[in-house]
Amino acid sequence: MQERRGALRAGEKVQFTDRKGKKITDQLVAGGSTQTEHGLILHDDVIGRTEGVVVTTVTAKRDAQVNQVHPERDANKPWKAARAIGGWDYAVMRPRLADYVLSMPRGAQIMYPKDIAQVIQLGDIRKGLNVLESGAGSGAMSVNLLDAVGESGHLTTIELRPDFARVAEANATLYYGEKPAWWDLKTGDFDSVAATLSEHEYDRIMLDMLDPWNRLEQAYRVIAPGGVLICYITTTTQMSRLVEALRDAGCWTEPDIQETLERSWKAQGLAVRPDHQMIGHTGFLVVSRAMAEGFTALKKRDRVTKDTTTDIDSLTDEERAAQLEDLELRDISDRKLRKVLRDLDMQVSHLS
């Protein structure tokens, strides 16, 4: 596996950052260059040097700024072929894993670093564990899982689409310098592939798919007792179906549901404030653990008077009226209502 330290080598991905914070991630190629808005970065000026150096762009041919594939799109932008470019400084670093994930070529929408970090933490995914993943997508989660379990662990990934599997494999290979030996990438539907796996073989299972509730039977068969199941879903309807399926199965602990919001801040002198834009909802994480065979998960007792399953639209007018009456009685007692009214009367009297 390629060491990500020491002198920068041809074939490595590097990140160029200018003074405005704009980042460009590119692969170093002997004799190659990276096109920027301010000229060319020559890769030979970077190869063999350490991280943290600053390189300066050289003047490029001005017509290189014009769209070579569709020049007509720049026909009304004469400044593109006339402006002076070059002499712009960029700091050189190896990209962090989070940077690499956000910049890598995508075949499918990736999971954001904020969600990936929560998967690793809430799923208790660490070195030496045997992990099963379903839904490789572009490989963002796979690369992070490979990093978390390390060479002493093992990751098995099941991807339905062969083209997505190729994208995920290429992104992981570029990151590590070779395909990780502790990764087994399989193509096919989850149930069919999982049926070929040994019982209780995996310590952790990560599902990123449209219908994880339909995969719980095979997931329970291959996960070890006490193993952690973590599912990434994007809608409340998916979340509801998954949570109820976990409860109905009886062999999974009460699911824990998480959503992570991310907001960055700016700090410049006394101007310290949050950014106007933020990464809001991206998805939900549902976490549960496998019970041992023959044991049923413990459940919280529902209140007898609390009906959370009946759809009010399915009731008759009489039943609906009775339920609304129950809700009113349940929400506030007569004693508490008298106290509230007494306090409000007193406050209103102070207005005159």
Side-chain angles (χ1 to χ4, degrees), residues 121-315:
Q121 180 68 30
L122 298 176
D124 191 34
I125 298 171
R126 44 196 163 79
K127 291 193 181 300
L129 293 185
N130 197 12
V131 177
L132 174 63
E133 173 197 23
S134 184
S138 297
M141 190 72 245
S142 301
V143 173
N144 280 270
L145 291 174
L146 288 165
D147 194 62
V149 301
E151 296 182 58
S152 60
H154 191 82
L155 173 66
T156 300
T157 300
I158 302 173
E159 171 55 51
L160 178 63
R161 294 182 54 171
D163 50 352
F164 282 2
R166 288 179 58 195
V167 172
E169 181 176 352
N171 280 321
T173 300
L174 284 170
Y175 182 77
Y176 286 104
E178 60 184 12
K179 182 181 177 181
W182 61 101
W183 188 26
D184 188 10
L185 178 57
K186 301 177 180 291
T187 57
D189 68 273
F190 180 81
D191 285 345
S192 298
V193 177
T196 66
L197 304 176
S198 302
E199 290 187 7
H200 310 312
E201 183 178 354
Y202 294 94
D203 305 298
R204 308 288 185 262
I205 296 180
M206 164 61 193
L207 300 181
D208 179 6
M209 52 177 52
L210 291 174
D211 59 340
W213 53 87
N214 289 327
R215 313 297 166 222
L216 296 180
E217 183 178 351
Q218 282 295 339
Y220 182 73
R221 190 185 71 82
V222 299
I223 199 170
V228 180
L229 170 72
I230 184 162
C231 303
Y232 178 76
I233 47 185
T234 57
T235 69
T236 54
T237 50
Q238 287 175 303
M239 177 180 66
S240 176
R241 291 190 66 176
L242 174 59
V243 167
E244 294 307 322
L246 287 166
R247 289 172 178 152
D248 292 343
C251 53
W252 301 97
T253 61
E254 177 65 16
D256 179 58
I257 307 165
Q258 298 276 345
E259 180 188 22
T260 304
L261 308 180
E262 179 182 328
R263 183 173 70 174
S264 58
W265 284 65
K266 289 184 177 180
Q268 188 172 6
L270 297 178
V272 181
R273 60 172 179 77
D275 280 337
H276 295 303
Q277 294 181 330
M278 66 178 288
I279 299 175
H281 172 74
T282 49
F284 301 102
L285 295 176
V286 178
V287 185
S288 184
R289 303 192 68 172
M291 299 293 293
E293 290 186 0
F295 290 85
T296 303
L298 302 179
K299 292 186 178 181
K300 180 180 178 181
R301 291 183 178 177
D302 291 331
R303 287 168 51 186
V304 176
T305 58
K306 189 173 183 180
D307 184 357
T308 60
T309 59
T310 301
D311 187 343
I312 196 168
D313 289 337
S314 67
L315 303 177

